[in-house]
Amino acid sequence: MIALKTLNRRTDALVVGGGIAGLQAALDLADQGFKALIVERQPSIGGHMIALSKVFPTLDCASCITTPKMSAAVHHPKIELLVNTEVQSLESTGAGQRATVTRQPTYVDNDKCIGCRLCEYACEVEYPDPFEQGLGALRAIAIPFANAIPQVAVLNPAYCTTCGLCARACPTGAIDYTQEAVTFTIDAGAVILATGFSLNSLNLKPQFHAAQSRNIISPLTMERLLAPHAPYGRVLRPSDGKIPQSIAFIHCAGSRDQTLGVPYCSRVCCMYFIKQAMLLSGALPLADLTLYYIDIRAFGKGYEQFYQNARAMGINFVRGKVLRIEPLADGDLLVHVEATEAAEHCYRKVRHDLVVLAQGMVPPSGGPALVPVRRATDGFFDLPEATDPSGTNLPGVFAAGTAAGPKDIVDTITDAGAAAMAAGRYLQRRRRENSAPVGEAGTRRRVHLEPTMDAVGAN
Amino acid sequence: MTAHVNHRLHDDIRYFGGKDVDGCMNCGACTTTCPLSENAGGGFPRRVIRLIQTGQSDRLAANTDPWLCYYCGECSTHCPRQANPAETMMAARRYLTARYDWTGLARLFYQSAWAEIAAICAVGLLVAGLFIGWHGPVVLQRVALNTFAPVRAVEVGDWIMAGLLSFFLLSNAFRMVRWSLGEDVRRISAAVYWRQIPTFFLHLFTQKRWRQCGSPQGGLRWFKHLLLVSGYLSMLTLVLILLRWFQTDHIYPFYYPQRLWGYYAAVALLYPTVDFMISRWRRKEPIHRFSEASDWIFLIMLFLTALTGLLVNLVRINGWALATYVIYVLHLAIAVPMLVVEVPFGKWSHLLYRPLAIYLRGVQEAAAVERGAPALAPGAAVSSS
Amino acid sequence: MATKPLTTEQKQALALFRKRLGGVSKEKHERLKHQVTLRKAIRDFLARQPATIPEIASALARPADEVLWQVMGMKKYGRVREAGDSGWYARYGLIERETEAAAGEV
């Protein structure tokens, strides 16, 4: 790893994470005239949302909403984007926050790459596509996914056999095998942490036997199966390509469970399962769709109606927590459940082709763990002040979206806007303080601790 | 059917050791985990918790589900709310024991350890007093237990006690039968009652249902418990039916059945009781994680009964006459209150209630089949929706 | 596909890259070899008639999930297409290649 001083840079606001929260926060700040720098550890921005099929409760196409935001961010004159870059540490300097970041090599010169994919077509090595949750294949050098931004190729050294075919195919000489990881610093007036979430493991509950069956899948895998450019082109089950005729959705499989250390509700599973079941009833009109739930938490605007529509469509809702899944020899799965609302025959074993587990939303691993912001008991960033719903315990550091706890997309975007506003206000105040005559700083500071119309309009 | 809501049931269960009923969100995870629920009928064990939460004390009293649980603890291990369903089932068993008992003593003993200890002391002192006042001649030259405590007199006492305790226990069991069968109690034909009787004895002597229980130590625990029961039933046979043969002044050789059987019974009582006490102390197995005073009292009394019984034998063989008489009195002053308190009013009663519950379940199922209705216990419905 | 030979500079860069990776592991080569041979077998099988994933899997004695993944890779990069359904399974058929040379590719 080499450190390049020339890469060090300054910005008004550093946005850590290029998912929907980070993009929204960066756009809101940039539109107010602040310079925003987005650092994203993946090769493309878009986060989890760009991988989703449709969003609830409107059933709008997720990429149709995300792609314009991604595009707007990357083309905004006030926004700079660093992909393949991860924050290593964050420290407070007198003047603001300093982040040390590392950019991983992609072995492609982004300034030269024109996204023609000739390298990808030339490459022979294929590996399970991480964007498709491993369902499809991706070549060792490839554009990460169809609507990735930036549209440049990335070489994965874990699979590359160094045959040189990509360099031979590239018309612009963009392949650069000499790239190395580089570390540099970013000085920012304010930081917005939009580091998102992870899902906990499918294998947390051994009684689910998820490790023994490819047909016990993550909800993100189901999103990919349902996506317009799905890895299989249609909904098939991963064990043998069967068109599933009976699909089970197991709610609360990774949250609201003290034995897993996740006592809280992940907030989005009820609704995305209902959405997935609705989409499946379109994709597979003959299939039986059963949701095994404890309570349906349809709390948002229009959600309850959405749930009622799903019931009216003939989707089965069985109240009971599934705690045992038996994989069968033919790839089918036997779901054990107590149908708690049934008068009799309440202990049931139901056969399904495919089972989706609602994994719990947990804080992501890696980079954000190094950020010295206090965590709440659930592991997400702590937001100590009820009246300052974006502020962390560090002045000038804000959290947006699921980095502070499970949220749906609607709430994430609202939250990101709020964080951008809080960060903007903070930057304004600092500017004013720094430009104030020395003798008056003390008095002015007191005045401007409270937000005023003056501060907002001062830019 | 009208159901009375007893708003104090929930607090009541708390007194019997069910402290986490509040935590339950009725998700049914316990039912799904329970290795016995498939053939225990619907909603086992969740429905018991539901009955408690909704204050349906009469329906709880008529419910025999708690007796079908052997506390492997799987449900408590996997409960997403850590609401401890296994312990709630245990508390429900204590509650049912108290509900069946019409004298109110069981409730008193379960809810106040001091009352139970006082009762034990009172009965113990009464027994000791009887001996102090009316014992036979004390022969010190040799051990003459049958002179000190004539076997015929003791036998009469035995049978009086057995009669009294059986009366209390059976009247309690009658209430259990009456409530759990409800209106059907008269409708079910005598043949059905009769045909299921082997079930009762099968489960009384083998506790074989326990073998399906899920915990890793399940098999071993079943064996230890079976050992305890065999020791207990041996002792019951020896002191009640075979007392004249058992309590002798003649010292038989070691291999003589009278001695061997006695030793077996002593070991079969001592080993499990010591093992259970250690396990309860260390909170090793799920079943032993939570101990109420009543659990300790039962174990300690059972242990002391067996220990003093064994001691009587040892000092007698060694020819220590006075010690034999003293320890004999002590033995009875422990054994009698243990039986008086525990058999009809305490934990001992589960020896009867468990196989009786399985018998009643069998009767209900057989009656349903006779009526042509689907079996009451639905087992697992396998559907391929 | 228009390809040009590597320049000396590119060859040196590639050698350096290979060295930094610690050489190309045997595992990577085995993986690629497996992919090439399995896909050739799938192509040969599908050259006769379109087939479902379980049919291909049993003919080649390979796990169905692995065959599905390989076929989906071939589908994504234009070697295979869907050719109707057979029961609860989709059938896959070869896409005829324009040049002989291309048939030798993965």
Side-chain angles (χ1 to χ4, degrees):
Chain A
M1 199 184 290
I2 49 175
L4 278 187
K5 282 224 172 93
T6 51
L7 286 173
N8 292 356
R9 58 196 78 196
R10 294 179 168 280
T11 182
D12 289 333
L14 167 66
V15 178
V16 185
I20 189 63
L23 294 175
Q24 185 65 43
L27 283 167
D28 284 354
L29 279 164
D31 284 348
Q32 291 179 72
F34 295 104
K35 225 174 93 187
L37 194 161
I38 301 173
V39 170
E40 168 58 53
R41 63 175 166 176
Q42 296 293 327
S44 168
I45 52 172
H48 282 105
M49 189 179 170
I50 191 63
L52 304 182
S53 55
K54 296 192 174 179
V55 294
F56 58 80
T58 51
L59 293 183
D60 289 326
C61 152
S63 50
C64 309
I65 303 172
T66 323
T67 318
K69 292 249 189 229
M70 292 160 72
S71 191
V74 81
H75 291 120
H76 201 292
K78 288 276 188 182
I79 296 178
E80 190 189 355
L81 173 63
L82 292 173
V83 287
N84 301 298
T85 307
E86 191 164 9
V87 172
Q88 300 296 331
S89 63
L90 187 69
E91 57 185 332
S92 189
T93 64
Q97 306 292 330
R98 172 169 293 171
T100 305
V101 301
T102 299
R103 191 171 75 193
Q104 295 300 330
T106 61
Y107 307 100
V108 174
D109 185 338
N110 286 8
D111 293 334
K112 289 186 187 164
C113 178
I114 53 168
C116 68
R117 297 189 135 183
L118 287 179
C119 55
E120 183 174 345
Y121 299 143
C123 182
E124 291 189 341
V125 190
E126 290 180 20
Y127 67 98
D129 188 346
F131 182 75
E132 305 289 6
Q133 304 292 320
L135 296 183
L138 189 67
R139 294 202 168 157
I141 187 164
I143 288 181
F145 51 91
N147 40 6
I149 289 181
Q151 275 281 312
V152 291
V154 175
L155 184 149
N156 186 341
Y159 291 93
C160 176
T161 56
T162 69
C163 67
L165 280 176
C166 50
R168 289 174 62 188
C170 180
T172 62
I175 312 294
D176 177 7
Y177 296 116
T178 63
Q179 274 189 9
E180 281 187 90
V182 286
T183 297
F184 52 97
T185 60
I186 297 166
D187 282 300
V191 174
I192 292 182
L193 298 169
T195 46
F197 67 93
S198 295
L199 293 182
N200 55 15
S201 166
L202 287 174
N203 300 319
L204 276 182
K205 281 215 174 276
Q207 311 95 294
F208 286 158
H209 302 103
Q212 290 168 35
S213 173
R214 293 220 53 186
N215 295 334
I216 299 177
I217 62 170
S218 155
L220 289 176
T221 308
M222 182 50 91
E223 290 295 330
R224 292 315 302 158
L225 287 173
L226 287 163
H229 35 266
Y232 298 156
R234 62 196 293 185
V235 180
L236 303 176
R237 69 176 190 183
S239 77
D240 59 358
K242 186 184 176 192
I243 304 159
Q245 293 310 303
S246 169
I247 303 174
F249 297 87
I250 316 291
H251 287 251
C252 302
S255 32
R256 293 181 74 193
D257 193 333
Q258 294 182 18
T259 65
L260 305 178
V262 185
Y264 55 84
C265 166
S266 289
R267 291 172 51 114
V268 289
C269 325
C270 284
M271 297 311 292
Y272 70 59
F273 267 176
I274 294 172
K275 174 202 73 181
Q276 290 181 348
M278 277 190 172
L279 296 176
L280 281 164
S281 66
L284 306 167
L286 297 178
D288 278 309
L289 306 163
T290 309
L291 280 72
Y292 296 98
Y293 69 100
I294 306 175
D295 321 281
I296 294 293
R297 296 189 163 175
F299 56 88
K301 185 180 164 87
Y303 293 5
E304 178 65 20
Q305 189 56 48
F306 192 65
Y307 166 46
Q308 297 303 339
N309 290 352
R311 278 195 176 261
M313 282 168 72
I315 292 162
N316 304 314
F317 287 81
V318 174
R319 191 188 175 281
K321 183 171 165 94
V322 172
L323 216 77
R324 202 161 11 142
I325 303 173
E326 256 181 80
L328 303 175
D330 59 359
D332 287 359
L333 299 147
L334 209 53
V335 166
H336 292 240
V337 68
E338 185 198 350
T340 58
E341 285 177 339
E344 49 186 21
H345 298 296
C346 57
Y347 187 99
R348 291 178 190 169
K349 292 195 254 176
V350 191
R351 203 181 175 99
H352 293 284
D353 291 336
L354 188 63
V355 170
V356 197
L357 299 183
Q359 294 160 284
M361 275 171 102
V362 292
S365 57
L370 304 166
V371 172
V373 171
R374 198 166 59 214
R375 307 294 177 128
T377 48
D378 57 9
F380 292 97
F381 292 127
D382 186 27
L383 305 174
E385 296 290 332
T387 52
D388 179 16
S390 310
T392 67
N393 63 316
L394 300 182
V397 180
F398 305 89
T402 53
K407 272 180 203 73
D408 60 26
I409 292 168
V410 179
D411 286 357
T412 292
I413 292 173
T414 313
D415 199 49
M421 181 51 88
R425 211 181 68 192
Y426 177 83
L427 287 167
Q428 280 287 10
R429 201 163 66 211
R430 284 186 57 90
R431 265 185 202 171
R432 194 174 281 263
E433 280 165 14
N434 293 341
S435 61
V438 177
E440 289 177 37
T443 48
R444 293 194 70 116
R445 185 188 202 97
R446 291 192 78 81
V447 170
H448 289 288
L449 274 172
E450 295 303 317
T452 62
M453 286 308 292
D454 180 41
V456 174
N459 191 38
Chain B
M1 174 182 171
T2 51
H4 291 284
V5 173
N6 174 358
H7 64 93
R8 275 159 52 192
L9 177 62
H10 189 279
D11 288 337
D12 212 9
I13 291 291
R14 195 181 288 274
Y15 282 117
F16 287 98
K19 300 197 168 54
D20 301 300
V21 180
D22 278 344
C24 173
M25 59 177 171
N26 279 275
C27 68
C30 45
T31 308
T32 320
T33 345
C34 176
L36 293 174
S37 60
E38 269 186 52
N39 27 28
F44 180 85
R46 186 189 57 82
R47 284 202 177 164
V48 168
I49 305 173
R50 190 73 188 143
L51 290 178
I52 296 168
Q53 286 180 330
T54 50
Q56 304 198 51
S57 43
D58 289 339
R59 285 176 70 181
L60 180 60
N63 192 312
T64 51
D65 275 0
W67 300 114
L68 304 180
C69 159
Y70 294 86
Y71 208 140
C72 67
E74 285 290 286
C75 50
S76 288
T77 306
H78 297 295
C79 172
R81 294 287 291 249
Q82 298 291 281
N84 216 340
E87 193 54 28
T88 304
M89 288 298 261
M90 186 73 222
R93 285 192 286 277
R94 296 188 189 113
Y95 173 82
L96 287 181
T97 307
R99 275 299 292 266
Y100 300 154
D101 173 45
W102 50 273
T103 63
L105 287 172
R107 168 173 290 272
L108 181 68
F109 295 158
Y110 269 130
Q111 298 196 346
S112 161
W114 292 116
E116 188 171 356
I117 291 167
I120 286 169
C121 290
V123 179
L125 288 174
L126 182 73
V127 171
L130 281 174
F131 270 100
I132 290 164
W134 286 280
H135 66 80
V138 177
V139 181
L140 290 176
Q141 293 77 10
R142 58 186 169 83
V143 180
L145 189 57
N146 273 334
T147 316
F148 174 76
V151 70
R152 279 164 194 263
V154 177
E155 203 176 37
V156 169
D158 265 6
W159 283 103
I160 290 173
M161 189 169 77
L164 271 176
L165 298 189
S166 300
F167 166 70
F168 283 116
L169 182 64
L170 291 176
S171 57
N172 291 346
F174 176 75
R175 280 154 66 90
M176 172 181 172
V177 174
R178 186 70 190 74
W179 288 341
S180 63
L181 295 183
E183 304 280 297
D184 289 338
V185 76
R186 275 185 212 90
R187 268 184 239 147
I188 297 169
S189 68
V192 168
Y193 286 115
W194 177 252
R195 276 201 300 270
Q196 291 297 320
I197 284 177
T199 313
F200 173 81
F201 286 103
L202 177 73
H203 288 277
L204 172 66
F205 291 119
T206 65
Q207 289 119 42
K208 90 191 224 312
R209 210 183 124 77
W210 197 337
R211 300 283 293 152
Q212 301 159 18
C213 214
S215 76
Q217 315 100 325
L220 189 61
R221 256 198 60 223
W222 164 80
F223 174 73
K224 287 175 187 167
H225 188 267
L226 193 67
L227 194 66
L228 187 67
V229 174
S230 75
Y232 182 81
L233 291 178
S234 296
M235 216 33 115
L236 197 70
T237 316
L238 288 173
V239 301
L240 207 57
I241 300 163
L242 303 174
L243 189 71
R244 290 188 202 186
W245 176 64
F246 188 59
Q247 182 178 316
T248 56
D249 284 342
H250 180 74
I251 295 172
Y252 291 102
F254 180 76
Y255 52 81
Y256 193 72
Q258 181 233 32
R259 281 182 68 181
L260 279 185
W261 197 359
Y263 290 138
Y264 169 79
V267 170
L269 285 171
L270 284 176
Y271 166 64
T273 47
V274 170
D275 184 79
F276 292 167
M277 281 194 282
I278 292 172
S279 181
R280 275 197 188 276
W281 183 255
R282 294 194 187 149
R283 301 169 182 231
K284 231 168 36 179
E285 292 179 42
I287 186 176
H288 294 145
R289 241 179 273 151
F290 306 92
S291 299
E292 294 286 306
S294 55
D295 299 319
W296 281 110
I297 293 170
F298 182 48
L299 272 181
I300 291 169
M301 293 303 286
L302 206 53
F303 169 74
L304 289 178
T305 303
L307 185 71
T308 50
L310 191 63
L311 276 178
V312 170
N313 182 275
L314 294 181
V315 292
R316 186 176 76 91
I317 286 166
N318 281 308
W320 300 338
L322 189 61
T324 306
Y325 309 145
V326 171
I327 296 173
Y328 182 81
V329 173
L330 188 66
H331 174 59
L332 288 188
I334 289 168
V336 172
M338 188 274 286
L339 291 169
V340 168
V341 169
E342 297 290 349
V343 170
F345 313 118
K347 198 169 175 170
W348 186 98
S349 58
H350 78 274
L351 200 70
L352 174 66
Y353 297 151
R354 274 192 193 281
L356 189 57
I358 300 173
Y359 167 79
L360 289 172
R361 192 58 64 99
V363 167
Q364 282 170 312
E365 277 171 31
V369 169
E370 208 167 59
R371 278 200 304 270
L376 266 178
V382 180
S383 60
S384 49
S385 78
Chain C
M1 204 175 291
T3 58
K4 50 193 181 298
L6 294 176
T7 63
T8 321
E9 204 176 88
Q10 280 176 317
K11 277 183 187 160
Q12 281 168 354
L14 196 57
L16 178 70
F17 175 52
R18 197 174 294 134
K19 205 173 133 200
R20 279 198 192 137
L21 290 181
V24 179
S25 67
K26 201 175 165 205
E27 194 197 330
K28 270 191 202 171
H29 276 303
E30 288 298 319
R31 214 178 164 282
L32 179 59
K33 217 171 109 186
H34 178 72
Q35 177 191 312
V36 171
T37 45
L38 184 54
R39 288 194 183 184
K40 176 156 190 322
I42 294 171
R43 260 198 324 271
D44 291 347
F45 184 74
L46 293 184
R48 277 174 264 162
Q49 77 283 317
T52 65
I53 298 297
E55 285 164 3
I56 306 171
S58 68
L60 306 183
R62 296 299 311 167
D65 59 334
E66 189 195 3
V67 170
L68 175 66
W69 185 80
Q70 299 286 4
V71 170
M72 287 308 148
M74 295 163 80
K75 180 165 167 280
K76 175 175 178 181
Y77 289 105
R79 287 350 184 225
V80 154
R81 63 181 162 74
E82 243 182 59
D85 286 354
S86 166
W88 296 127
Y89 292 89
R91 276 186 301 153
Y92 298 92
L94 279 189
I95 294 175
E96 300 305 324
R97 304 288 297 180
E98 285 159 16
T99 58
E100 282 294 305
E105 283 179 33
V106 185

